[in-house]
Amino acid sequence: REEVEEEEEAIFLAIILPTLFFNAVLGTTNQDDFKILDDFRNGLDNADLLKWPAKGNDPCGPPAWPHVFCSGGRVTQIQVQNMGLSGTLPQNLNQLAKLQNVGLQKNNFKGKLPSFSGLSDLQFAYLDNNKFDTIPSDFFHGLGSVRVLALDQNPFNASTGWSIPPELQESAQLTNFSCSNCNIAGPLPDFLGKLASLSALKMSYNNLSGQIPPSFGGSNL
């Protein structure tokens, strides 16, 4: 019996000790999150502005990488506003599943805006004043916690324009939605006036048509 117990203990140690060592080497950051941040860096033309270490795979630290904030080894915030960054963003950005606050405004990001579909913890997204030329059709899907969403001053779908999809009405906590000068075309959706929490709506310098929805009359806008 003792021999069996010793053998079981040896097997346990053979499995657990390498795992503990492996985790110690990797640090505290979820490695899927690290991969996305690495893709973020690699898509930039001037990534040196971030001052992220060339070596290392632990953005959550300690010490945490500049402009990155974490909780429990998961990335919760990226704050790089007004840094003069240029380049494209990884299209799997929405796999940062615990992202709560992203500040990318006032840079020179270009190309296709990644979908934010499924970012159920996201509360604040500042994407305004960039050069994104395309917004994906599923961008707004599943943003159940978002409170502030700023998309202003981006040349989305310049040749065809785009319309606000019905998925936005899933964002029941939305208080501020701004999309001035971002090529929205067609009528304003009636559901915007029915979002009980929505108090600020900025839609100037677009190609809106038709009437202001009657629902706006009884709204908190």
Side-chain angles (χ1 to χ4, degrees):
R1 184 172 182 178
E2 291 180 358
E3 291 179 356
V4 171
E5 290 178 351
E6 289 176 357
E7 182 177 355
E8 290 176 347
E9 182 179 357
I11 293 172
F12 175 80
L13 292 175
I15 295 172
I16 295 300
L17 287 180
T19 302
L20 293 175
F21 175 76
F22 184 69
N23 288 338
V25 170
L26 289 181
T28 61
T29 305
N30 177 283
Q31 288 301 284
D32 291 332
D33 286 9
F34 161 71
K35 178 61 169 58
I36 295 170
L37 289 184
D38 197 40
D39 291 343
F40 182 100
R41 168 171 49 189
N42 292 334
L44 297 177
D45 303 321
N46 50 1
D48 57 299
L49 295 176
L50 293 172
K51 297 184 179 179
W52 289 355
K55 295 182 179 180
N57 57 0
D58 195 10
C60 295
W65 289 6
H67 318 294
V68 177
F69 300 84
C70 301
S71 177
R74 301 303 302 267
V75 175
T76 58
Q77 294 190 49
I78 302 173
Q79 298 295 339
V80 295
Q81 55 269 29
N82 200 22
M83 288 185 62
L85 297 172
S86 63
T88 59
L89 296 182
Q91 293 302 300
N92 60 350
L93 196 68
N94 65 337
Q95 292 179 24
L96 292 173
K98 299 301 180 180
L99 195 63
Q100 299 175 14
N101 189 330
V102 57
L104 307 180
Q105 69 270 37
K106 298 181 181 179
N107 284 290
N108 293 299
F109 293 118
K110 59 188 177 182
K112 183 179 180 181
L113 180 67
S115 175
F116 276 27
S117 174
L119 286 176
S120 58
D121 289 347
L122 186 70
Q123 298 181 47
F124 303 95
Y126 297 94
L127 309 169
D128 51 291
N129 290 276
N130 280 292
K131 298 178 180 178
F132 296 115
D133 59 23
T134 306
I135 184 167
S137 59
D138 66 344
F139 178 85
F140 300 94
H141 180 71
L143 301 182
S145 299
V146 71
R147 296 165 58 188
V148 176
L149 186 55
L151 297 166
D152 315 77
Q153 307 294 333
N154 280 293
F156 297 128
N157 303 7
S159 60
T160 61
W162 63 288
S163 58
I164 299 172
E167 286 81 6
L168 185 60
Q169 63 189 311
E170 299 171 9
S171 302
Q173 300 184 54
L174 187 65
T175 62
N176 190 324
F177 178 57
S178 58
C179 200
S180 297
N181 197 22
C182 56
N183 290 324
I184 296 177
L188 281 170
D190 184 67
F191 69 77
L192 287 174
K194 299 177 181 178
L195 288 173
S197 60
L198 188 63
S199 59
L201 179 66
K202 300 178 182 179
M203 305 284 287
S204 55
Y205 300 101
N206 283 294
N207 294 303
L208 298 169
S209 58
Q211 66 175 1
I212 296 176
S215 61
F216 280 31
S219 73
N220 292 321
L221 289 169

